[in-house]
Amino acid sequence: MLNSITWTQYVTAVISLLVCYYTFIGFRFYRWEILSLIGIKKIEGSGISISTVADFKKSYETENHENYLPKPALEIDISPLMQAFTDEVKAYLEESGSSVTANELLQSINLIILKYPVLKDAEYQQELVRYIFDEVNTRYPNLIRQSDIKQLLS
């Protein structure tokens, strides 16, 4: 029986069976990986896509020009800065001695204002001036005027 086939026929049969076996295993378990090597991609989705009238209308709707313009800057909440500023002014006034001149007081308040440059551009600058004036007036009555504080903030 071994004499009925040659070695060449045996090797050819084994190689062809191995090629068939690996081809079957490759397409059975690695189909999309093999197909992606030659450029065929799998489309994700588990159903047939049916186009509706609404989808058709969406494709012809005009786009809003404002979607492509830069968005305006969001308003920044400066309330934590305001709180820190008012706390610092209050702490300075409590720690300052009883013999403070108007110049020293204005210079110190100016130094505090310089720490918070955002507050100079605030829309509620009047409330800030009023707060500083009230705090200074409770501690040192009639020492400075509101116009002096307005001058610091401008």
Side-chain angles (χ1 to χ4, degrees), residues 74-85 110-126 128 152-154:
L74 299 174
E75 286 199 26
I76 299 171
D77 183 22
I78 62 170
S79 59
L81 283 175
M82 285 289 291
Q83 185 65 41
F85 175 76
N110 190 29
L111 289 175
I112 295 172
I113 290 171
L114 289 176
K115 288 183 187 178
Y116 302 95
V118 176
L119 298 179
K120 285 189 173 188
D121 300 331
E123 58 194 35
Y124 36 86
Q125 195 172 12
Q126 291 295 337
L128 219 89
L152 291 177
L153 283 171
S154 55

Side-chain angles (χ1 to χ4, degrees), residues 2-152:
L2 290 176
N3 291 336
S4 65
I5 61 169
T6 64
W7 281 105
T8 321
Q9 291 173 333
Y10 173 74
V11 170
T12 306
V14 168
I15 289 176
S16 62
L17 285 174
L18 281 175
V19 167
C20 290
Y21 172 76
Y22 281 114
T23 304
F24 172 75
I25 295 297
F27 277 108
R28 174 88 168 118
F29 297 108
Y30 302 104
R31 178 179 331 157
W32 293 111
E33 288 83 358
I34 293 171
L35 290 175
S36 70
L37 290 175
I38 59 174
I40 299 173
K41 304 288 182 196
K42 182 178 182 180
I43 297 174
E44 297 297 327
S46 61
I48 298 173
S49 172
I50 299 174
S51 179
T52 61
V53 174
D55 293 335
F56 184 70
K57 285 183 180 179
K58 276 185 188 176
S59 64
Y60 286 104
E61 285 180 0
T62 59
E63 294 181 359
N64 191 359
H65 180 67
E66 293 172 359
N67 291 343
Y68 298 103
L69 295 176
K71 306 291 185 241
L74 299 174
E75 286 199 26
I76 299 171
D77 183 22
I78 62 170
S79 59
L81 283 175
M82 285 289 291
Q83 185 65 41
F85 175 76
T86 56
D87 289 345
E88 196 165 344
V89 168
K90 189 179 284 189
Y92 168 73
L93 291 174
E94 287 176 4
E95 294 295 320
S96 63
S98 60
S99 62
V100 173
T101 64
N103 266 348
E104 290 174 357
L105 188 64
L106 288 174
Q107 282 180 335
S108 300
I109 291 175
N110 190 29
L111 289 175
I112 295 172
I113 290 171
L114 289 176
K115 288 183 187 178
Y116 302 95
V118 176
L119 298 179
K120 285 189 173 188
D121 300 331
E123 58 194 35
Y124 36 86
Q125 195 172 12
Q126 291 295 337
E127 288 86 10
L128 219 89
V129 169
R130 186 77 189 151
Y131 171 77
I132 295 171
F133 181 72
D134 289 343
E135 286 294 319
V136 170
N137 246 359
T138 56
R139 180 80 177 174
Y140 308 105
N142 300 325
L143 187 61
I144 60 173
R145 298 182 312 253
Q146 272 190 343
S147 59
D148 298 333
I149 298 171
K150 282 183 187 178
Q151 199 172 25
L152 291 177

